[in-house]
């Protein structure tokens, strides 16, 4: 427990100024655009490729005593930080004119902290009329906005600026401290002085947070370490494909610049020496790419599991079509119904999907038809509760039922579609779950894993760009 508590010992103050971001995968609002991160399919077993130890590390739970409850770790950190800030202000108050600027900086941070805390309580409704969003959505938006502020302008393989890194750690520590108070009660045996065994209820951090939050913190630290490892690199960047004075480029590299400009003209173009980078640097890039790729899979596995546990909103169920055929279309429906040995891969080959936008549209239609057929199958078995309906569906529904067979085939088609298009963004159901979610713990885990997934995906892409330029220059 001492080792796990030490990872939470950093004390940071709350406060940041969100800035406009040109980051192409994250926006400050919780809309479809803000959720479009590159995704690659991964099994849960990929999570073990990162580290088998941090999954079992214990976070710092809140402790309750029978007679009096001591201050939690976060309360102690907050008091120490407040006293330290007050003592600093007292020391700076007797300084010279240059120290007055430091006092103003501390006052500004306190003002920003009050502003963020007020917006969090108001649910982003500045009128105070109680029309704001729920706490879960507010915290999810806060994590998304913080990620856009810190990493939105960082489009290169280089360490974060010290002030940006401090902002990320300070404010994420404040937002994640809520999880220390999300607890569940478990039975515990306690022996009295006379030897009598007594069963009492003990509180501990909720199981999903207990398992996933330490893992996400570890992934966060690993991603920052990857960026820090490129402090002294053999490559550099040219803004928007411009020709810098200190760069020497061959004709093949000019074609690389054109290739990158057509894809994402706002992303800086990596530059390498005329002979390419050294073999040592090349091995370092490949190693960090593999690490970031595994981190991406682990973050996506956590995000997928959290989204699966979220309840399906009533608004989504109300928007489902009356029949799965109308959602899929006649051609796909005919193929699913008539084929004795259904092959989703063969069906995808026949569809000739031209872009990821078409793939996402097809995924939404397949998912809607899947839940439509599941609902019909459950209604035919006289199931009344939608919550039990989704959890116990496979065990209690006759597998020979036509609607059940069609739902299974639609699920396998959706599975193959996400495998074929690993960069597919979240579906309409996922976005609806996030927007309608009321569970604060799930909101924190989902948003935290989502932004880490996006950062890992970008790091892999940036490394691939450098390796691509290096290979082009060598050839």
């Amino acid at each position: 427990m001492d080792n796990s508590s030490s990872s939470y010992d950093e004390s940071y103050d709350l406060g940041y100024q969100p800035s406009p971001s040109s980051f192409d995968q994250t926006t400050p609002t919780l809309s479809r655009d803000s959720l479009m991160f590159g995704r690659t399919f991964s099994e849960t077993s990929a999570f073990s490729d990162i580290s088998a130890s941090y999954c079992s590390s214990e976070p710092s739970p809140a402790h309750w005593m029978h007679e009096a409850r001591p201050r939690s770790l976060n309360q102690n950190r907050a008091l120490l930080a407040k006293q330290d800030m007050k003592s600093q202000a007292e020391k700076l108050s007797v300084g010279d004119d240059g120290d007055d600027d430091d006092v103003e900086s501390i006052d500004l941070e306190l003002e920003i902290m009050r502003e963020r805390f007020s917006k969090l309580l108001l649910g982003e409704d500045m009128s105070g009329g109680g029309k704001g969003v729920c706490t879960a959505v507010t915290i999810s938006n806060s994590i998304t906005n913080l990620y856009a502020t810190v990493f939105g302008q960082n489009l290169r393989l280089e360490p974060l600026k010290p002030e940006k890194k401090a902002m990320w750690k300070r404010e994420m520590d404040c937002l994640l401290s809520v999880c220390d108070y999300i607890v569940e009660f478990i039975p515990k045996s306690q022996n009295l002085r006379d030897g009598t065994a007594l069963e009492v209820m003990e509180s501990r951090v909720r199981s999903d947070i207990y398992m996933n939050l330490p893992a996400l913190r570890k992934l966060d630290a690993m991603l920052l370490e990857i960026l820090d490892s490129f402090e002294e690199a053999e490559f550099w960047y040219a803004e928007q494909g411009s020709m810098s004075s200190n760069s020497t480029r061959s004709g093949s590299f000019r074609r690389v610049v054109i290739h990158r400009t057509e894809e994402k003209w706002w992303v800086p173009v990596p530059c390498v020496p005329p002979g390419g980078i050294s073999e040592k640097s090349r091995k370092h890039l490949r190693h960090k790419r593999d690490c970031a790729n595994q981190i991406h899979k682990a973050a996506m596995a956590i995000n997928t599991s959290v989204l699966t546990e979220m309840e399906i909103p009533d608004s989504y169920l109300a928007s489902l079509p009356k029949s799965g055929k109308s959602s899929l279309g006649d051609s796909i429906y005919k193929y699913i119904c008539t084929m004795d040995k259904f092959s989703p891969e063969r069906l995808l080959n026949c569809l000739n999907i031209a872009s990821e936008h078409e793939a996402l549209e097809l995924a939404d239609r397949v998912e809607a038809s899947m839940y439509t057929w599941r609902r019909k199958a459950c209604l035919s078995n006289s199931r009344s509760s939608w919550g039990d309906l989704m959890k116990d569906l496979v065990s209690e529904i006759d597998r020979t039922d036509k609607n059940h067979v069609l739902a299974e085939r639609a699920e396998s088609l959706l599975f193959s579609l996400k495998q074929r298009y690993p960069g597919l963004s979240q579906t309409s159901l996922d976005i609806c779950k996030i927007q309608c979610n009321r569970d604060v713990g799930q909101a924190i885990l989902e948003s935290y894993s989502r932004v880490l997934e996006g950062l890992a995906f970008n790091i892999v892409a940036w490394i691939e760009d450098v390796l691509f330029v290096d290979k082009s220059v060598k050839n």
Side-chain angles (χ1 to χ4, degrees):
M1 181 64 70
D2 294 335
N3 295 333
S4 61
S5 301
S6 62
S7 63
Y8 290 78
D9 283 342
E10 299 172 336
S11 64
Y12 301 107
D13 304 321
L14 181 63
Y16 68 91
Q17 289 287 355
S19 60
S21 171
S22 61
F23 185 55
D24 58 305
Q25 292 186 346
T26 308
T27 57
T29 56
L30 194 62
S31 62
R32 174 181 290 270
D33 296 332
S34 69
L35 303 173
M36 288 186 178
F37 291 120
R39 305 177 66 92
T40 58
F41 175 77
S42 67
E43 298 178 358
T44 309
S45 60
F47 183 73
S48 61
D49 295 337
I50 301 298
S51 174
S53 60
Y54 64 78
C55 294
S56 60
S57 60
E58 297 179 1
S60 56
H63 299 281
W64 281 264
M65 305 298 291
H66 293 288
E67 297 180 0
R69 185 179 68 182
R71 289 192 182 96
S72 67
L73 184 60
N74 285 298
Q75 290 174 326
N76 292 332
R77 291 204 310 265
L79 290 175
L80 291 174
K82 186 176 181 181
Q83 292 175 358
D84 182 64
M85 186 174 291
K86 186 180 295 184
S87 62
Q88 276 188 340
E90 291 176 354
K91 292 178 181 180
L92 292 172
S93 62
V94 296
D96 53 9
D97 295 337
D99 293 338
D100 293 340
D101 296 336
D102 296 332
V103 177
E104 293 179 359
S105 176
I106 294 176
D107 292 338
L108 180 60
E109 287 190 1
L110 289 174
E111 184 62 30
I112 294 174
M113 182 188 300
R114 285 192 288 265
E115 178 186 352
R116 301 304 172 202
F117 183 69
S118 301
K119 289 183 177 180
L120 190 64
L121 291 180
L122 292 172
E124 301 177 356
D125 178 24
M126 299 301 104
S127 67
K131 298 179 181 179
V133 296
C134 66
T135 306
V137 178
T138 304
I139 293 182
S140 180
N141 287 343
S142 299
I143 295 177
T144 304
N145 291 344
L146 177 61
Y147 174 78
T149 302
V150 175
F151 296 98
Q153 301 292 339
N154 187 61
L155 304 176
R156 308 179 180 195
L157 275 178
E158 60 184 14
L160 275 179
K161 294 181 180 179
E163 58 271 17
K164 291 286 187 180
K165 183 184 292 186
M167 175 190 294
W168 173 255
K169 291 184 176 180
R170 178 178 66 243
E171 301 200 19
M172 281 304 300
D173 186 74
C174 291
L175 292 171
L176 297 179
S177 64
V178 180
C179 294
D180 292 334
Y181 302 94
I182 303 177
V183 298
E184 62 184 2
F185 291 95
I186 58 174
K188 178 185 177 182
S189 179
Q190 183 177 3
N191 294 325
L192 301 180
R193 292 182 179 179
D194 58 358
T196 305
L198 183 66
E199 189 176 75
V200 297
M201 299 301 292
E202 181 186 40
S203 63
R204 75 169 188 181
V205 176
R206 207 172 67 187
S207 57
D208 57 340
I209 299 175
Y210 182 85
M211 292 296 297
N212 293 323
L213 186 57
L216 291 174
R217 282 186 174 274
K218 181 67 175 180
L219 298 180
D220 188 353
M222 293 172 68
L223 288 174
L224 293 180
E225 288 176 3
I226 290 177
L227 292 178
D228 291 340
S229 67
F230 292 103
E231 184 174 3
E232 296 180 0
E234 298 180 10
F235 55 89
W236 63 96
Y237 286 88
E239 292 292 341
Q240 299 181 0
S242 61
M243 300 293 290
S244 59
S245 58
N246 61 344
S247 63
T248 304
R249 300 173 182 158
S250 62
S252 62
F253 184 73
R254 293 176 184 269
R255 288 194 291 272
V256 174
V257 173
I258 295 174
H259 173 71
R260 294 291 293 116
T261 303
E262 290 176 351
E263 287 183 352
K264 297 178 181 179
W265 56 266
W266 63 89
V267 177
V269 179
C271 309
V272 298
I277 59 179
S278 64
E279 185 64 26
K280 180 180 178 181
S281 179
R282 196 175 295 113
K283 289 182 179 179
H284 175 71
L285 284 168
R286 290 169 180 166
H287 173 66
K288 295 302 179 182
R289 178 192 60 186
D290 295 339
C291 291
N293 191 38
Q294 293 298 320
I295 294 173
H296 174 265
K297 291 180 179 180
M300 200 197 78
I302 295 177
N303 185 266
T304 302
S305 65
V306 174
L307 284 173
T308 303
E309 291 297 323
M310 287 185 181
E311 295 182 359
I312 301 177
D314 294 335
S315 58
Y316 180 82
L317 297 176
S319 65
L320 290 176
K322 294 183 179 180
S323 65
K325 180 180 179 180
S326 61
S327 177
L328 283 180
D330 294 336
S331 58
I332 300 179
Y333 178 78
K334 182 178 180 181
Y335 186 91
I336 291 180
C337 288
T338 57
M339 296 297 294
D340 294 334
K341 295 183 179 180
F342 176 69
S343 174
E345 294 295 335
R346 185 181 300 175
L347 175 57
L348 291 177
N349 292 333
C350 298
L351 293 178
N352 296 324
I353 302 174
S355 63
E356 288 193 0
H357 178 74
E358 294 182 4
L360 180 60
E361 183 182 358
L362 177 61
D364 287 335
R365 289 160 48 199
V366 172
E367 197 167 44
S369 63
M370 178 181 68
Y371 281 102
T372 300
W373 284 323
R374 283 184 178 180
R375 178 171 60 179
K376 288 185 177 181
C378 293
L379 290 176
S380 63
N381 286 267
S382 302
R383 297 302 303 270
S384 58
S385 172
W386 260 100
D388 297 335
L389 172 152
M390 290 302 168
K391 293 180 180 179
D392 305 329
L393 183 65
V394 176
S395 60
E396 297 192 15
I397 290 182
D398 185 7
R399 291 183 175 273
T400 61
D401 183 80
K402 179 182 178 181
N403 290 315
H404 176 65
V405 173
L406 292 176
E408 280 191 336
R409 292 185 174 184
E411 185 177 8
S412 64
L413 177 60
L414 182 63
F415 180 85
S416 300
L417 184 64
K418 290 183 177 181
Q419 271 191 316
R420 180 168 295 195
Y421 295 91
L424 203 64
S425 61
Q426 291 170 319
T427 61
S428 299
L429 175 59
D430 295 334
I431 297 175
C432 188
K433 283 183 176 181
I434 296 171
Q435 292 175 339
C436 300
N437 176 48
R438 295 295 183 268
D439 190 297
V440 176
Q442 289 180 341
I444 292 177
L445 294 177
E446 190 282 324
S447 56
Y448 195 15
S449 60
R450 172 162 41 87
V451 297
L452 293 182
E453 178 187 337
L455 178 59
F457 177 84
N458 287 334
I459 290 177
V460 172
W462 297 336
I463 295 177
E464 290 286 355
D465 285 345
V466 176
L467 292 176
F468 176 76
V469 171
D470 175 64
K471 182 178 178 181
S472 301
V473 170
K474 284 179 60 179
N475 294 336

